[in-house]
Amino acid sequence: MRTISSGVSVRLYHLDDSGEGGAATTLFYGPLNEALGIAARQEEDVQAGLYLATENDVVAYLDLED
């Protein structure tokens, strides 16, 4: 696993898998620490579909919380 700083820019998005192929909705672009705060305030069912994307990686939010 790569180490990144809390200030690295990320895209926080929600991947809705309902319907045909689903849809990705961006919730936030900005520093990782702010994205994590926004993600933590979401409802549990929304958190299950949250992802963080950096320049090189994509990780499910709940994988970071475990």
Side-chain angles (χ1 to χ4, degrees):
M1 179 178 213
R2 293 182 183 165
T3 302
I4 57 174
S5 72
S6 62
V8 70
S9 291
V10 298
R11 173 185 174 211
L12 172 64
Y13 65 95
H14 180 258
L15 186 60
D16 180 4
D17 62 0
S18 63
E20 292 184 31
T25 303
T26 299
L27 302 176
F28 179 75
Y29 280 108
L32 175 61
N33 59 343
E34 288 184 47
L36 291 174
I38 292 168
R41 291 189 297 272
Q42 303 303 308
E43 300 213 10
E44 198 171 301
D45 60 326
V46 172
Q47 287 181 354
L50 292 180
Y51 292 85
L52 295 148
T54 66
E55 186 176 303
N56 301 319
D57 292 312
V58 175
V59 64
Y61 169 70
L62 291 180
D63 287 348
L64 291 174
E65 291 299 301
D66 289 339

